[in-house]
Amino acid sequence: MTSTTTSTSSMKPFDPLGDLPPGTALIEASAGTGKTYTMTSLFLRLLVEQGLAVDQILVVTFTEAATAELRDRVRHRLYRTLRVFRGAKIDDELAVALRRRSVERGTLMADQDRLWAAYTNFDEAAISTIHGFCHRVLRENAFESGVPFDSELIADEESLRDEVVRDFWINELHRARPSYFRFLGKPGPFVVTLDRLHRLAWKVCSPQPMRILPGPPDLTSEGPDEATIDEAIEAAREIWSSGREQALAALRGADLKAPLLKKIDQYAEELDRWLESATAADAGLPECVGRLSSSNVRTNTKVKGTPPEHALFDACERLGSLVQKRVERLTPKALELLLRFIRTVPEELRARKRARHVQSFDDLLFLLAKALRSEAGPALAGALTGRYRAALIDEFQDTDPVQYEIFKRLFVDRIGGGDDLGWLLLIGDPKQAIYSFRGADIYAYLDAARTAGERRFTLETNYRTDARLVDAFNRLYACSPAPFVEAGIDYTR
């Protein structure tokens, strides 16, 4: 079933047979609204009405499966349109309209020959993934891009990335004191473990530019050394050994609040176990030390009661203070370690790949973007825009900032008149961009929307979903003026 309703946004409904002037256009297409049909229609119009050859139209999507499906769909519609131009009666509104316009222009035979040439040379069609496109560009323009000719493409760099992470971690452990190493593994905002470093490396080794917060920490603060903490532990051990019963009697004889009074025996047993082998190399203090400190004992004495006194409580207080100062000193060191990891691991990974003459799929994006920023960038962009007169970008909502920078430098920045005039047609669903799927960036999408300006369209009819369900969604999302929060991401009925 289908459901068509009036759009409530400022976007215009897209007409596959409407004007197709050069420039950038954004077509927003929800699932089930005929996105692939629209793309194949645009491809045919560029062939027939704009006179482009099949290899002058760049079509980019984001997975190998989507690429194969899109290639088959384009070839199939191209064949059907060719048959319509040759007089076959086929129910294809666009193909019939294109033939009628061709007759009106007096170019029927020339357009038919152009369609036949496109069909017979379809293997030359530039329909690929974004990574496949970047690989082809870097290989064919190795001189301008500065990429070695003999680099091997690897499908997965995970093993090499893990190798770099392990080497970094081993180097850190080799230099670390036991207390610092144990501190790094403690739960907290700057916990540093090998598992966390592996997850962090996956993020920071991507080609996307990142702003790292916070900035470098202050490492000038001083804290107690391990010898000082060991002395405090030994003092507490001697006091507890000789005065255990007196300390407990002082607690039991005081007018304490229930939370501390009920757990005196539990804390005593914990202190027994900890003091048997405690050293400054431990990651921190057990709960009992903080509970038996003089400040906590005073806090847990009832208002009219007299806080109990004993040297043990003062010893626990001193231990807590020393360990807290050590935490305050080690926390910036842990943060500095993470920031150094973020800075050095991507560099080391790139260095090892250069040494081994390998590249990953993400490297292809990084290297092409870097080449387009370089002094040779304008020449490289000119060569590509001279070859590709139009570009259709499928699933544009999955585009990250690096990918959009490539498209922008190749097409948006060069569409402006004369020989550089061309088409950049972006098709996607902005509602999906909010999930950052495949590294998508919602602000890259909104930047493209601003570039498109008034040429921002939508596909209004859902051909896949039951009309009652479409109606239900329309009613639900109409309840909020900004259902997706971010300005510019609207819900079109």
mmCIF file of all heavy atoms in Angstrom, residues 295-343:
data_model
loop_
_atom_site.group_PDB
_atom_site.id
_atom_site.type_symbol
_atom_site.label_atom_id
_atom_site.label_comp_id
_atom_site.label_asym_id
_atom_site.label_seq_id
_atom_site.Cartn_x
_atom_site.Cartn_y
_atom_site.Cartn_z
ATOM 1 N N SER A 295 38.259 11.562 61.519
ATOM 2 C CA SER A 295 37.208 12.457 61.011
ATOM 3 C C SER A 295 35.893 11.720 60.831
ATOM 4 O O SER A 295 34.812 12.241 61.139
ATOM 5 C CB SER A 295 37.647 13.102 59.690
ATOM 6 O OG SER A 295 37.874 12.109 58.702
ATOM 7 N N ASN A 296 35.950 10.458 60.359
ATOM 8 C CA ASN A 296 34.718 9.703 60.173
ATOM 9 C C ASN A 296 34.124 9.275 61.514
ATOM 10 O O ASN A 296 32.901 9.245 61.675
ATOM 11 C CB ASN A 296 34.974 8.463 59.309
ATOM 12 C CG ASN A 296 33.673 7.784 58.898
ATOM 13 O OD1 ASN A 296 32.884 8.343 58.148
ATOM 14 N ND2 ASN A 296 33.445 6.582 59.421
ATOM 15 N N VAL A 297 34.988 8.963 62.465
ATOM 16 C CA VAL A 297 34.491 8.612 63.797
ATOM 17 C C VAL A 297 33.770 9.805 64.422
ATOM 18 O O VAL A 297 32.698 9.655 65.029
ATOM 19 C CB VAL A 297 35.647 8.124 64.689
ATOM 20 C CG1 VAL A 297 35.184 8.004 66.146
ATOM 21 C CG2 VAL A 297 36.171 6.778 64.196
ATOM 22 N N ARG A 298 34.336 11.008 64.278
ATOM 23 C CA ARG A 298 33.671 12.207 64.797
ATOM 24 C C ARG A 298 32.332 12.437 64.098
ATOM 25 O O ARG A 298 31.319 12.752 64.732
ATOM 26 C CB ARG A 298 34.569 13.441 64.611
ATOM 27 C CG ARG A 298 35.729 13.520 65.581
ATOM 28 C CD ARG A 298 36.343 14.912 65.569
ATOM 29 N NE ARG A 298 36.853 15.267 64.245
ATOM 30 C CZ ARG A 298 38.087 15.001 63.830
ATOM 31 N NH1 ARG A 298 38.941 14.343 64.637
ATOM 32 N NH2 ARG A 298 38.478 15.357 62.625
ATOM 33 N N THR A 299 32.296 12.265 62.773
ATOM 34 C CA THR A 299 31.063 12.470 62.013
ATOM 35 C C THR A 299 29.978 11.496 62.449
ATOM 36 O O THR A 299 28.789 11.835 62.450
ATOM 37 C CB THR A 299 31.335 12.292 60.501
ATOM 38 O OG1 THR A 299 32.303 13.258 60.083
ATOM 39 C CG2 THR A 299 30.067 12.478 59.677
ATOM 40 N N ASN A 300 30.368 10.288 62.830
ATOM 41 C CA ASN A 300 29.398 9.260 63.197
ATOM 42 C C ASN A 300 29.148 9.178 64.709
ATOM 43 O O ASN A 300 28.589 8.194 65.193
ATOM 44 C CB ASN A 300 29.862 7.895 62.675
ATOM 45 C CG ASN A 300 29.558 7.714 61.203
ATOM 46 O OD1 ASN A 300 28.464 7.299 60.844
ATOM 47 N ND2 ASN A 300 30.525 8.054 60.360
ATOM 48 N N THR A 301 29.569 10.206 65.442
ATOM 49 C CA THR A 301 29.227 10.305 66.869
ATOM 50 C C THR A 301 27.975 11.169 66.989
ATOM 51 O O THR A 301 27.862 12.213 66.346
ATOM 52 C CB THR A 301 30.379 10.938 67.656
ATOM 53 O OG1 THR A 301 31.572 10.138 67.485
ATOM 54 C CG2 THR A 301 30.030 11.003 69.149
ATOM 55 N N LYS A 302 27.057 10.708 67.819
ATOM 56 C CA LYS A 302 25.812 11.452 67.982
ATOM 57 C C LYS A 302 26.085 12.850 68.534
ATOM 58 O O LYS A 302 27.107 13.090 69.192
ATOM 59 C CB LYS A 302 24.856 10.693 68.898
ATOM 60 C CG LYS A 302 24.353 9.385 68.273
ATOM 61 C CD LYS A 302 23.395 8.654 69.195
ATOM 62 C CE LYS A 302 22.896 7.366 68.542
ATOM 63 N NZ LYS A 302 21.977 6.604 69.439
ATOM 64 N N VAL A 303 25.143 13.765 68.306
ATOM 65 C CA VAL A 303 25.340 15.180 68.615
ATOM 66 C C VAL A 303 25.737 15.402 70.074
ATOM 67 O O VAL A 303 26.651 16.167 70.385
ATOM 68 C CB VAL A 303 24.064 15.983 68.281
ATOM 69 C CG1 VAL A 303 24.229 17.438 68.691
ATOM 70 C CG2 VAL A 303 23.737 15.866 66.800
ATOM 71 N N LYS A 304 25.115 14.740 70.983
ATOM 72 C CA LYS A 304 25.395 14.955 72.415
ATOM 73 C C LYS A 304 26.478 14.029 72.946
ATOM 74 O O LYS A 304 26.811 14.074 74.136
ATOM 75 C CB LYS A 304 24.110 14.761 73.219
ATOM 76 C CG LYS A 304 23.033 15.808 72.909
ATOM 77 C CD LYS A 304 21.807 15.614 73.796
ATOM 78 C CE LYS A 304 20.753 16.677 73.502
ATOM 79 N NZ LYS A 304 19.548 16.524 74.371
ATOM 80 N N GLY A 305 27.022 13.202 72.072
ATOM 81 C CA GLY A 305 28.053 12.275 72.518
ATOM 82 C C GLY A 305 29.449 12.863 72.385
ATOM 83 O O GLY A 305 29.676 13.884 71.728
ATOM 84 N N THR A 306 30.423 12.205 73.003
ATOM 85 C CA THR A 306 31.829 12.622 72.935
ATOM 86 C C THR A 306 32.561 11.681 71.984
ATOM 87 O O THR A 306 32.554 10.457 72.202
ATOM 88 C CB THR A 306 32.483 12.561 74.315
ATOM 89 O OG1 THR A 306 31.763 13.419 75.202
ATOM 90 C CG2 THR A 306 33.944 12.993 74.243
ATOM 91 N N PRO A 307 33.183 12.214 70.906
ATOM 92 C CA PRO A 307 33.886 11.344 69.973
ATOM 93 C C PRO A 307 34.992 10.556 70.662
ATOM 94 O O PRO A 307 35.764 11.120 71.446
ATOM 95 C CB PRO A 307 34.468 12.318 68.939
ATOM 96 C CG PRO A 307 33.623 13.542 69.063
ATOM 97 C CD PRO A 307 33.234 13.619 70.513
ATOM 98 N N PRO A 308 35.105 9.252 70.406
ATOM 99 C CA PRO A 308 36.178 8.458 71.018
ATOM 100 C C PRO A 308 37.530 8.848 70.425
ATOM 101 O O PRO A 308 37.620 9.303 69.289
ATOM 102 C CB PRO A 308 35.800 7.026 70.651
ATOM 103 C CG PRO A 308 34.998 7.150 69.403
ATOM 104 C CD PRO A 308 34.238 8.433 69.523
ATOM 105 N N GLU A 309 38.574 8.653 71.186
ATOM 106 C CA GLU A 309 39.927 8.990 70.731
ATOM 107 C C GLU A 309 40.830 7.776 70.880
ATOM 108 O O GLU A 309 40.737 7.038 71.865
ATOM 109 C CB GLU A 309 40.481 10.172 71.530
ATOM 110 C CG GLU A 309 39.725 11.473 71.319
ATOM 111 C CD GLU A 309 40.357 12.640 72.080
ATOM 112 O OE1 GLU A 309 41.366 12.391 72.776
ATOM 113 O OE2 GLU A 309 39.847 13.771 71.965
ATOM 114 N N HIS A 310 41.707 7.599 69.871
ATOM 115 C CA HIS A 310 42.707 6.543 69.934
ATOM 116 C C HIS A 310 43.728 6.810 68.818
ATOM 117 O O HIS A 310 43.391 7.379 67.773
ATOM 118 C CB HIS A 310 42.074 5.159 69.762
ATOM 119 C CG HIS A 310 42.987 4.035 70.103
ATOM 120 N ND1 HIS A 310 43.897 3.507 69.215
ATOM 121 C CD2 HIS A 310 43.149 3.318 71.260
ATOM 122 C CE1 HIS A 310 44.575 2.531 69.793
ATOM 123 N NE2 HIS A 310 44.130 2.399 71.056
ATOM 124 N N ALA A 311 44.947 6.401 69.061
ATOM 125 C CA ALA A 311 46.005 6.637 68.066
ATOM 126 C C ALA A 311 45.695 5.948 66.741
ATOM 127 O O ALA A 311 46.126 6.393 65.669
ATOM 128 C CB ALA A 311 47.349 6.151 68.616
ATOM 129 N N LEU A 312 44.926 4.834 66.787
ATOM 130 C CA LEU A 312 44.588 4.134 65.547
ATOM 131 C C LEU A 312 43.762 5.026 64.625
ATOM 132 O O LEU A 312 43.985 5.050 63.404
ATOM 133 C CB LEU A 312 43.802 2.859 65.839
ATOM 134 C CG LEU A 312 43.285 2.150 64.580
ATOM 135 C CD1 LEU A 312 44.431 1.504 63.822
ATOM 136 C CD2 LEU A 312 42.204 1.135 64.895
ATOM 137 N N PHE A 313 42.814 5.776 65.221
ATOM 138 C CA PHE A 313 41.950 6.628 64.390
ATOM 139 C C PHE A 313 42.776 7.711 63.685
ATOM 140 O O PHE A 313 42.549 8.024 62.518
ATOM 141 C CB PHE A 313 40.853 7.260 65.245
ATOM 142 C CG PHE A 313 40.086 6.287 66.088
ATOM 143 C CD1 PHE A 313 39.558 6.671 67.317
ATOM 144 C CD2 PHE A 313 39.898 4.972 65.674
ATOM 145 C CE1 PHE A 313 38.858 5.771 68.107
ATOM 146 C CE2 PHE A 313 39.199 4.062 66.456
ATOM 147 C CZ PHE A 313 38.686 4.468 67.675
ATOM 148 N N ASP A 314 43.762 8.247 64.415
ATOM 149 C CA ASP A 314 44.648 9.259 63.808
ATOM 150 C C ASP A 314 45.535 8.636 62.725
ATOM 151 O O ASP A 314 45.810 9.263 61.689
ATOM 152 C CB ASP A 314 45.522 9.908 64.891
ATOM 153 C CG ASP A 314 44.694 10.686 65.905
ATOM 154 O OD1 ASP A 314 43.604 11.162 65.530
ATOM 155 O OD2 ASP A 314 45.130 10.806 67.068
ATOM 156 N N ALA A 315 45.978 7.392 62.947
ATOM 157 C CA ALA A 315 46.811 6.700 61.950
ATOM 158 C C ALA A 315 46.018 6.446 60.667
ATOM 159 O O ALA A 315 46.530 6.604 59.543
ATOM 160 C CB ALA A 315 47.340 5.390 62.519
ATOM 161 N N CYS A 316 44.749 6.046 60.824
ATOM 162 C CA CYS A 316 43.891 5.829 59.642
ATOM 163 C C CYS A 316 43.635 7.152 58.916
ATOM 164 O O CYS A 316 43.586 7.199 57.685
ATOM 165 C CB CYS A 316 42.572 5.191 60.061
ATOM 166 S SG CYS A 316 42.710 3.460 60.550
ATOM 167 N N GLU A 317 43.460 8.227 59.685
ATOM 168 C CA GLU A 317 43.262 9.550 59.086
ATOM 169 C C GLU A 317 44.462 9.943 58.238
ATOM 170 O O GLU A 317 44.314 10.433 57.113
ATOM 171 C CB GLU A 317 43.032 10.578 60.193
ATOM 172 C CG GLU A 317 42.709 11.981 59.699
ATOM 173 C CD GLU A 317 41.295 12.095 59.153
ATOM 174 O OE1 GLU A 317 40.405 11.319 59.582
ATOM 175 O OE2 GLU A 317 41.083 12.964 58.279
ATOM 176 N N ARG A 318 45.670 9.723 58.792
ATOM 177 C CA ARG A 318 46.892 10.084 58.052
ATOM 178 C C ARG A 318 47.032 9.229 56.796
ATOM 179 O O ARG A 318 47.403 9.732 55.730
ATOM 180 C CB ARG A 318 48.114 9.904 58.943
ATOM 181 C CG ARG A 318 49.418 10.330 58.269
ATOM 182 C CD ARG A 318 50.542 10.531 59.252
ATOM 183 N NE ARG A 318 51.714 11.060 58.571
ATOM 184 C CZ ARG A 318 52.735 10.314 58.139
ATOM 185 N NH1 ARG A 318 52.726 9.006 58.358
ATOM 186 N NH2 ARG A 318 53.767 10.860 57.512
ATOM 187 N N LEU A 319 46.737 7.944 56.925
ATOM 188 C CA LEU A 319 46.810 7.080 55.741
ATOM 189 C C LEU A 319 45.862 7.557 54.638
ATOM 190 O O LEU A 319 46.232 7.621 53.469
ATOM 191 C CB LEU A 319 46.450 5.641 56.123
ATOM 192 C CG LEU A 319 47.601 4.703 56.489
ATOM 193 C CD1 LEU A 319 47.054 3.381 56.977
ATOM 194 C CD2 LEU A 319 48.526 4.510 55.297
ATOM 195 N N GLY A 320 44.632 7.869 55.013
ATOM 196 C CA GLY A 320 43.671 8.346 54.026
ATOM 197 C C GLY A 320 44.132 9.617 53.350
ATOM 198 O O GLY A 320 43.978 9.783 52.127
ATOM 199 N N SER A 321 44.710 10.540 54.114
ATOM 200 C CA SER A 321 45.192 11.800 53.551
ATOM 201 C C SER A 321 46.343 11.573 52.573
ATOM 202 O O SER A 321 46.379 12.155 51.484
ATOM 203 C CB SER A 321 45.637 12.729 54.686
ATOM 204 O OG SER A 321 46.208 13.911 54.164
ATOM 205 N N LEU A 322 47.287 10.699 52.951
ATOM 206 C CA LEU A 322 48.432 10.432 52.079
ATOM 207 C C LEU A 322 48.001 9.777 50.770
ATOM 208 O O LEU A 322 48.471 10.145 49.688
ATOM 209 C CB LEU A 322 49.430 9.529 52.805
ATOM 210 C CG LEU A 322 50.210 10.165 53.968
ATOM 211 C CD1 LEU A 322 51.031 9.109 54.698
ATOM 212 C CD2 LEU A 322 51.124 11.289 53.458
ATOM 213 N N VAL A 323 47.109 8.784 50.872
ATOM 214 C CA VAL A 323 46.659 8.082 49.668
ATOM 215 C C VAL A 323 45.846 9.016 48.774
ATOM 216 O O VAL A 323 45.960 8.972 47.542
ATOM 217 C CB VAL A 323 45.853 6.825 50.050
ATOM 218 C CG1 VAL A 323 45.184 6.226 48.817
ATOM 219 C CG2 VAL A 323 46.766 5.804 50.704
ATOM 220 N N GLN A 324 45.029 9.901 49.359
ATOM 221 C CA GLN A 324 44.274 10.858 48.558
ATOM 222 C C GLN A 324 45.206 11.799 47.798
ATOM 223 O O GLN A 324 44.975 12.111 46.628
ATOM 224 C CB GLN A 324 43.323 11.665 49.450
ATOM 225 C CG GLN A 324 42.506 12.712 48.716
ATOM 226 C CD GLN A 324 41.657 12.118 47.607
ATOM 227 O OE1 GLN A 324 41.158 10.996 47.732
ATOM 228 N NE2 GLN A 324 41.487 12.853 46.519
ATOM 229 N N LYS A 325 46.274 12.225 48.476
ATOM 230 C CA LYS A 325 47.253 13.094 47.801
ATOM 231 C C LYS A 325 47.946 12.346 46.672
ATOM 232 O O LYS A 325 48.263 12.931 45.629
ATOM 233 C CB LYS A 325 48.271 13.610 48.812
ATOM 234 C CG LYS A 325 47.698 14.638 49.773
ATOM 235 C CD LYS A 325 48.738 15.098 50.774
ATOM 236 C CE LYS A 325 48.138 16.133 51.726
ATOM 237 N NZ LYS A 325 49.110 16.555 52.760
ATOM 238 N N ARG A 326 48.202 11.031 46.893
ATOM 239 C CA ARG A 326 48.805 10.254 45.804
ATOM 240 C C ARG A 326 47.846 10.138 44.632
ATOM 241 O O ARG A 326 48.250 10.237 43.463
ATOM 242 C CB ARG A 326 49.202 8.869 46.292
ATOM 243 C CG ARG A 326 49.842 8.035 45.174
ATOM 244 C CD ARG A 326 50.414 6.754 45.660
ATOM 245 N NE ARG A 326 49.382 5.836 46.127
ATOM 246 C CZ ARG A 326 49.645 4.604 46.562
ATOM 247 N NH1 ARG A 326 50.888 4.167 46.616
ATOM 248 N NH2 ARG A 326 48.658 3.820 46.961
ATOM 249 N N VAL A 327 46.560 9.928 44.909
ATOM 250 C CA VAL A 327 45.564 9.869 43.837
ATOM 251 C C VAL A 327 45.535 11.181 43.066
ATOM 252 O O VAL A 327 45.481 11.204 41.831
ATOM 253 C CB VAL A 327 44.172 9.549 44.415
ATOM 254 C CG1 VAL A 327 43.084 9.768 43.361
ATOM 255 C CG2 VAL A 327 44.122 8.122 44.931
ATOM 256 N N GLU A 328 45.585 12.294 43.784
ATOM 257 C CA GLU A 328 45.572 13.608 43.132
ATOM 258 C C GLU A 328 46.800 13.811 42.267
ATOM 259 O O GLU A 328 46.757 14.563 41.282
ATOM 260 C CB GLU A 328 45.482 14.702 44.197
ATOM 261 C CG GLU A 328 44.142 14.728 44.923
ATOM 262 C CD GLU A 328 44.140 15.667 46.109
ATOM 263 O OE1 GLU A 328 45.209 16.250 46.411
ATOM 264 O OE2 GLU A 328 43.078 15.811 46.754
ATOM 265 N N ARG A 329 47.908 13.136 42.624
ATOM 266 C CA ARG A 329 49.121 13.255 41.807
ATOM 267 C C ARG A 329 49.105 12.285 40.627
ATOM 268 O O ARG A 329 49.556 12.607 39.534
ATOM 269 C CB ARG A 329 50.355 12.974 42.678
ATOM 270 C CG ARG A 329 51.678 13.059 41.912
ATOM 271 C CD ARG A 329 52.850 12.925 42.843
ATOM 272 N NE ARG A 329 52.892 11.630 43.506
ATOM 273 C CZ ARG A 329 53.497 10.546 43.002
ATOM 274 N NH1 ARG A 329 54.088 10.603 41.818
ATOM 275 N NH2 ARG A 329 53.513 9.417 43.665
ATOM 276 N N LEU A 330 48.566 11.075 40.858
ATOM 277 C CA LEU A 330 48.607 10.058 39.803
ATOM 278 C C LEU A 330 47.508 10.240 38.755
ATOM 279 O O LEU A 330 47.669 9.811 37.613
ATOM 280 C CB LEU A 330 48.491 8.664 40.421
ATOM 281 C CG LEU A 330 49.660 8.215 41.294
ATOM 282 C CD1 LEU A 330 49.433 6.800 41.793
ATOM 283 C CD2 LEU A 330 50.979 8.306 40.540
ATOM 284 N N THR A 331 46.375 10.856 39.122
ATOM 285 C CA THR A 331 45.295 11.045 38.162
ATOM 286 C C THR A 331 45.742 11.848 36.942
ATOM 287 O O THR A 331 45.477 11.432 35.800
ATOM 288 C CB THR A 331 44.079 11.704 38.838
ATOM 289 O OG1 THR A 331 43.570 10.822 39.842
ATOM 290 C CG2 THR A 331 42.978 11.999 37.833
ATOM 291 N N PRO A 332 46.438 12.994 37.119
ATOM 292 C CA PRO A 332 46.941 13.695 35.928
ATOM 293 C C PRO A 332 47.919 12.854 35.119
ATOM 294 O O PRO A 332 47.962 12.955 33.891
ATOM 295 C CB PRO A 332 47.615 14.943 36.508
ATOM 296 C CG PRO A 332 46.997 15.130 37.848
ATOM 297 C CD PRO A 332 46.698 13.758 38.346
ATOM 298 N N LYS A 333 48.708 12.005 35.787
ATOM 299 C CA LYS A 333 49.640 11.142 35.052
ATOM 300 C C LYS A 333 48.882 10.143 34.183
ATOM 301 O O LYS A 333 49.291 9.852 33.054
ATOM 302 C CB LYS A 333 50.555 10.399 36.024
ATOM 303 C CG LYS A 333 51.627 11.258 36.670
ATOM 304 C CD LYS A 333 52.583 10.409 37.480
ATOM 305 C CE LYS A 333 53.358 9.427 36.616
ATOM 306 N NZ LYS A 333 54.334 8.631 37.393
ATOM 307 N N ALA A 334 47.770 9.601 34.722
ATOM 308 C CA ALA A 334 46.962 8.669 33.929
ATOM 309 C C ALA A 334 46.336 9.377 32.738
ATOM 310 O O ALA A 334 46.280 8.836 31.624
ATOM 311 C CB ALA A 334 45.874 8.049 34.816
ATOM 312 N N LEU A 335 45.866 10.596 32.965
ATOM 313 C CA LEU A 335 45.298 11.377 31.858
ATOM 314 C C LEU A 335 46.361 11.674 30.817
ATOM 315 O O LEU A 335 46.119 11.562 29.603
ATOM 316 C CB LEU A 335 44.699 12.674 32.397
ATOM 317 C CG LEU A 335 44.208 13.678 31.356
ATOM 318 C CD1 LEU A 335 43.149 13.056 30.458
ATOM 319 C CD2 LEU A 335 43.641 14.926 32.038
ATOM 320 N N GLU A 336 47.555 12.033 31.272
ATOM 321 C CA GLU A 336 48.647 12.315 30.335
ATOM 322 C C GLU A 336 49.000 11.081 29.521
ATOM 323 O O GLU A 336 49.294 11.164 28.333
ATOM 324 C CB GLU A 336 49.862 12.806 31.124
ATOM 325 C CG GLU A 336 50.996 13.342 30.256
ATOM 326 C CD GLU A 336 51.940 12.264 29.752
ATOM 327 O OE1 GLU A 336 52.031 11.193 30.410
ATOM 328 O OE2 GLU A 336 52.582 12.462 28.704
ATOM 329 N N LEU A 337 48.939 9.905 30.163
ATOM 330 C CA LEU A 337 49.216 8.661 29.445
ATOM 331 C C LEU A 337 48.196 8.451 28.324
ATOM 332 O O LEU A 337 48.555 8.095 27.195
ATOM 333 C CB LEU A 337 49.197 7.496 30.431
ATOM 334 C CG LEU A 337 49.560 6.104 29.895
ATOM 335 C CD1 LEU A 337 50.141 5.259 31.019
ATOM 336 C CD2 LEU A 337 48.374 5.375 29.294
ATOM 337 N N LEU A 338 46.914 8.667 28.640
ATOM 338 C CA LEU A 338 45.873 8.497 27.623
ATOM 339 C C LEU A 338 46.050 9.485 26.476
ATOM 340 O O LEU A 338 45.890 9.127 25.304
ATOM 341 C CB LEU A 338 44.493 8.670 28.256
ATOM 342 C CG LEU A 338 44.019 7.540 29.174
ATOM 343 C CD1 LEU A 338 42.725 7.929 29.865
ATOM 344 C CD2 LEU A 338 43.827 6.244 28.394
ATOM 345 N N LEU A 339 46.371 10.734 26.804
ATOM 346 C CA LEU A 339 46.563 11.732 25.757
ATOM 347 C C LEU A 339 47.788 11.393 24.897
ATOM 348 O O LEU A 339 47.766 11.585 23.675
ATOM 349 C CB LEU A 339 46.730 13.125 26.378
ATOM 350 C CG LEU A 339 45.472 13.693 27.055
ATOM 351 C CD1 LEU A 339 45.797 14.989 27.788
ATOM 352 C CD2 LEU A 339 44.373 13.934 26.040
ATOM 353 N N ARG A 340 48.833 10.886 25.527
ATOM 354 C CA ARG A 340 50.020 10.475 24.765
ATOM 355 C C ARG A 340 49.690 9.283 23.883
ATOM 356 O O ARG A 340 50.168 9.192 22.734
ATOM 357 C CB ARG A 340 51.136 10.148 25.758
ATOM 358 C CG ARG A 340 52.467 9.776 25.143
ATOM 359 C CD ARG A 340 53.620 10.045 26.098
ATOM 360 N NE ARG A 340 53.278 9.782 27.474
ATOM 361 C CZ ARG A 340 53.376 8.584 28.059
ATOM 362 N NH1 ARG A 340 53.788 7.547 27.354
ATOM 363 N NH2 ARG A 340 53.058 8.433 29.331
ATOM 364 N N PHE A 341 48.877 8.379 24.377
ATOM 365 C CA PHE A 341 48.426 7.245 23.581
ATOM 366 C C PHE A 341 47.663 7.719 22.350
ATOM 367 O O PHE A 341 47.900 7.256 21.227
ATOM 368 C CB PHE A 341 47.535 6.358 24.461
ATOM 369 C CG PHE A 341 46.933 5.179 23.744
ATOM 370 C CD1 PHE A 341 47.610 3.976 23.676
ATOM 371 C CD2 PHE A 341 45.679 5.271 23.140
ATOM 372 C CE1 PHE A 341 47.050 2.883 23.024
ATOM 373 C CE2 PHE A 341 45.118 4.188 22.496
ATOM 374 C CZ PHE A 341 45.810 2.985 22.432
ATOM 375 N N ILE A 342 46.732 8.641 22.550
ATOM 376 C CA ILE A 342 45.922 9.171 21.451
ATOM 377 C C ILE A 342 46.797 9.831 20.394
ATOM 378 O O ILE A 342 46.530 9.748 19.194
ATOM 379 C CB ILE A 342 44.887 10.166 21.999
ATOM 380 C CG1 ILE A 342 43.816 9.418 22.804
ATOM 381 C CG2 ILE A 342 44.234 10.974 20.890
ATOM 382 C CD1 ILE A 342 42.903 10.323 23.595
ATOM 383 N N ARG A 343 47.875 10.480 20.851
ATOM 384 C CA ARG A 343 48.750 11.199 19.921
ATOM 385 C C ARG A 343 49.712 10.271 19.188
ATOM 386 O O ARG A 343 49.968 10.448 17.986
ATOM 387 C CB ARG A 343 49.544 12.250 20.706
ATOM 388 C CG ARG A 343 50.446 13.128 19.846
ATOM 389 C CD ARG A 343 51.147 14.192 20.673
ATOM 390 N NE ARG A 343 52.079 13.622 21.646
ATOM 391 C CZ ARG A 343 51.878 13.577 22.956
ATOM 392 N NH1 ARG A 343 50.752 14.044 23.464
ATOM 393 N NH2 ARG A 343 52.769 13.045 23.769
#
